[in-house]
Structures are given as structure tokens and as C-alpha cells.
Amino acid sequence: MKIIEHPDAMQETALAARAAGRRLALVPTMGNLHEGHLSLIRLARQQADDVIVSNFVNPRQFGPNEDYAAYPRTFAADCRLSEAAGADIIFHPSAEAMYPPGSSTIVAEESLSRHLCGASRPGHFTGVCTVVAKLFHLTQPHIAIFGEKDAQQLRIIRRMVNDLDFPVTILAAPTCREADGLAMSSRNRFIPAALRPQAAGLFQTLNAAETAYQNGERNANNLLTLMQQTLARTAPDAVVDYLSLVDDETLQPLSGAFTRPALAAIAAHLGPPRLIDNRRLAAEA
Ligand code: AMP
């Protein structure tokens, strides 16, 4: 496995591999890898000749009061885990190499980004789109893999690829969970031990919504009330950022009766960390 730090070297390597007819997969990560990330790398391994894992804590997607400096960085362990899961190349650039002085171009998605996490994290998805566009140019992937855990991010990246004609196929990977249902996340380690049992409340809340939906509930207000009650019961100390039911395609908030597939989504603080989780509600699911 090769570690590449410089963006130019990454692009030269990727262009040469493509010219040699190799099929490339990219798995973008911010490092501190857990089983969720590794499942994406394993999926990439099945789909491509060369698997590139980017390992870059992107400063542009953190707000001024967010945890960029404190974000866990465990590069040596990440390298071992990436290699074992099937990575061929780790792209590990510095922030200065990715954003040299004078860098002033951004990629902004202006519709899906207004909702859910975009509403409470202004600029976050512009940071995500900008770095993913750069990563696509630098690693030249045929396919790129993103987790359903970050459902809004996945939808925004699909939209960006479509709108800006990137020749990349986006694959979605299911959310990996702890035994009690908590979605794996690099931020879970910061949940205070006393509050940890409540973290499964997000999962239980989404389960409640899905069960009601499968039993025929199609009124958004009823589903939202059920979700609020379930979260209040299962995670009384959670400080809710949002608890929403949105159209799965447009991410517009739903109210009253709905017919199209929906996305139930939650963001809540449990102690310092902000946890997110979601569930797609669709008749065919
Ligand atoms: P991150 O390092 O948090 O930027 O995540 C990198 C990629 O891993 C993103 O596509 C995430 O959606 C995905 N991911 C994060 N957590 C999980 C999880 N628990 N299960 C599956 N994929 C995940």
C-alpha cells in the first residue's frame, strides 16, 4: 500500500492508472477509521482494481465553533486498518497543500443544503462539496463510495455529480452500528459514559417511525409526534438540534399526508458530541 501526500503526485498516479486501463474507486474519509469506514473500503475492494482511501480532516467543512482542532487524528492506525480492508493507496494531504494561500474557488449546492444539517451548520456542505470535487479531480475515480449514515451528504454529492457532470458513479453503503443500534461515528468516543445508554435512543426513535410507517401511517405530523415522544423517553438528556421528516429527494420538510418516499432524520447532542442518524421510509423498503 502506498501513502501519497502531495496532491500533484496523487493526480499523476491516478491518471497513469486510468491510462493503464485500471478501474479506480475512491473512499473519502476524515480518518479515525472505524468499522463503518472499513465496510466502505471493503465494498470498494470488490468494485475496483485500485482502491484509494483519502484521509483528510477537511477544515472547510467545520464551522468556527466546531471541533476541527479536537477532531481525532489516528493516522498510523488508520493506515493499518485501511490496508487490511483492501486499500491500495492512502491519500493524506496537508490542509496547506489542499488550500494553498490564494485559493478562492468553492463549490456550493444551493437547494438540498438548506435543510437538516445545512440549516444548523452554515457552510458545512459547501466545504464538503469543495473538497469532494477536489478529491474527484485528484484521484480520478470511476466510482466513489459514501455512507448512508450521512444521508444528506450522499444526496448532495449525487446532485453535485449530476449538476457538474463528474464522470463518477456514486455508490451508497449501509450504516454500520454498535450492538445497541448506535450508528458508528468518530465522535461516539466523546459521549460521556453516563449518557452512553441513551445514545441508542436515536436508533429506537427511527425504529418507531419505521414501524408506524410500515403499519400504514402516512401523516407526517403524527410520525413527528411519535418520534419526539420516543426520543424524549429513550434519550431524555439529548439536546435536539433537529428531528425531521423530509421528502427523500428534495429534503423539503413534510407536514400532513405524504405519498412519496420520506427520510426521517435526527441530530442531537448527547454531552459534547453531536450525533446524527436517519432512516429512509419507502413503501418498497
Ligand atoms: P467521515 O470520516 O465521517 O467523513 O466519513 C467518511 C465516510 O464514511 C462517509 O461517506 C460516511 O458517510 C461514512 N460513514 C461514517 N460512519 C459510518 C457508519 N457508521 N457506517 C457506514 N458508513 C459510515
Side-chain angles (χ1 to χ4, degrees), residues 160-265:
M160 178 186 86
V161 161
N162 199 53
D163 288 349
L164 300 185
D165 308 296
F166 281 89
V168 185
T169 300
I170 304 300
L171 296 187
T175 302
C176 288
R177 299 179 178 281
E178 303 291 351
D180 65 354
L182 172 65
M184 289 183 184
S185 163
S186 304
R187 293 182 168 109
N188 290 352
R189 64 167 65 183
F190 300 118
I191 303 170
L195 297 179
R196 174 62 187 81
Q198 296 185 36
L202 278 73
F203 178 68
Q204 288 162 12
T205 299
L206 296 168
N207 287 348
E210 183 170 27
T211 302
Y213 179 87
Q214 280 172 354
N215 289 334
E217 180 61 78
R218 293 293 187 277
N219 182 290
N221 306 39
N222 295 347
L223 283 168
L224 281 168
T225 302
L226 173 69
M227 288 169 66
Q228 278 150 5
Q229 288 168 346
T230 311
L231 193 66
R233 182 168 46 77
T234 56
D237 293 313
V239 179
V240 176
D241 177 4
Y242 63 75
L243 187 151
S244 304
L245 196 68
V246 297
D247 183 275
D248 185 51
E249 203 179 302
T250 65
L251 303 187
Q252 297 269 9
L254 296 173
S255 63
F258 65 98
T259 52
R260 285 151 43 98
L263 186 75

Side-chain angles (χ1 to χ4, degrees), residues 27-40 54 56 61 71 128 145-151 153-154 171 173-178 182-188 276:
V27 180
T29 82
M30 296 206 301
N32 192 234
L33 302 188
H34 51 65
E35 193 54 36
H37 298 109
L38 302 182
S39 71
L40 271 54
S54 61
F56 177 59
Q61 69 189 71
Y71 197 84
V128 169
I145 305 188
F146 291 83
E148 279 286 4
K149 156 92 187 333
D150 299 283
Q153 169 173 281
L154 172 62
L171 296 187
T175 302
C176 288
R177 299 179 178 281
E178 303 291 351
L182 172 65
M184 289 183 184
S185 163
S186 304
R187 293 182 168 109
N188 290 352
I276 58 171

